[in-house]
Amino acid sequence: MKYVDLSQHLHELRADRSKRVVGGAMRMGEVWQGVLDSHHTPIDRILYYEANLPRPFDGLFVRLGSTTGEGEAAAIYVYKDLPDHWKEFVAIKEMMHCFTPGKHYTGTPREAQLLVEALCSKTSGRYGASVAADNSAILAAAEVILPHYTVERYLKQGKEVAQIAVEQGLHPDLAEMICRFDMLQRRKNGEL
């Protein structure tokens, strides 16, 4: 699913539930509810934990399948010492894995080991489907939190990122990352 389509889908689900405008910043609770309301994922329960994750991991997503075939659960772990705004971003980023196609799942201990090696090393490790899915989740989360068209509208009006952050209720550091030109361009065309 394209990032922009996923974002639009979750924003429309929020609008249906709360009558909030499509395109305004989404918070963790709204994304959470959107995941549960979505027909694009079998996830019907999300478990959230703040934990002392091994560095350099800020978050971890675990898909828990049902032995009865009745839906799936997502367990999301967020590094407990992150500032609150980054905890929220990481949680939303991990929720994007609820929409990751099955071909990108890491389902064996060996696959998990290779994923950890690739994510921890800047010089070695295989850039496989699971690593690509993790990078895609960052872009998808940024698009879901504040769609590119909303950012571009603000920038066209001459607004600074700090103004966008205030008007959308986002932490300035998070807004700075979400509003970067390279992030905007990559979000427009990418997909999970």
Side-chain angles (χ1 to χ4, degrees):
M1 175 179 278
K2 292 190 172 291
Y3 308 143
V4 294
D5 295 337
L6 175 58
S7 175
Q8 189 68 22
H9 172 64
L10 292 174
H11 278 261
E12 288 172 359
L13 288 172
R14 178 186 66 180
D16 291 346
R17 181 178 279 279
S18 69
K19 307 302 179 218
R20 288 201 48 215
V21 64
V22 170
M26 285 187 81
R27 303 305 299 245
M28 184 172 76
E30 295 170 321
V31 176
W32 185 311
Q33 189 60 55
V35 169
L36 296 177
D37 289 346
S38 177
H39 64 276
H40 291 296
T41 178
I43 300 294
D44 58 12
R45 191 173 42 163
I46 300 173
L47 309 167
Y48 175 86
Y49 304 97
E50 290 185 12
N52 191 17
L53 296 176
R55 305 312 300 144
F57 294 98
D58 288 336
L60 177 69
F61 174 84
V62 178
R63 183 181 297 266
L64 305 166
S66 168
T67 57
T68 63
E70 297 177 14
E72 297 178 354
I76 294 171
Y77 297 85
V78 174
Y79 183 58
K80 67 181 181 81
D81 292 334
L82 288 175
D84 288 344
H85 62 284
W86 288 118
K87 285 180 184 175
E88 185 165 346
F89 177 79
V90 170
I92 292 170
K93 176 249 183 208
E94 297 303 337
M95 282 186 240
M96 297 299 98
H97 291 300
C98 295
F99 299 95
T100 300
K103 65 183 177 185
H104 298 300
Y105 294 176
T106 300
T108 68
R110 179 69 181 139
E111 289 173 338
Q113 178 185 0
L114 292 172
L115 174 59
V116 169
E117 288 173 4
L119 290 172
C120 290
S121 174
K122 295 193 183 324
T123 59
S124 65
R126 191 172 149 267
Y127 188 88
S130 295
V131 177
D134 206 55
N135 290 335
S136 291
I138 293 169
L139 296 170
E143 183 66 16
V144 166
I145 292 170
L146 192 63
H148 72 278
Y149 58 82
T150 301
V151 175
E152 288 175 338
R153 184 183 73 235
Y154 277 122
L155 295 175
K156 192 173 185 177
Q157 294 169 355
K159 298 208 175 179
E160 298 289 327
V161 173
Q163 291 173 290
I164 297 170
V166 169
E167 289 187 29
Q168 290 294 323
L170 298 172
H171 189 280
D173 292 345
L174 183 58
E176 191 69 41
M177 187 266 292
I178 288 174
C179 296
R180 280 189 355 227
F181 180 77
D182 63 317
M183 288 287 285
L184 288 172
Q185 298 312 309
R186 291 172 63 202
R187 287 161 39 190
K188 289 180 189 180
N189 300 309
E191 62 185 285
L192 288 170

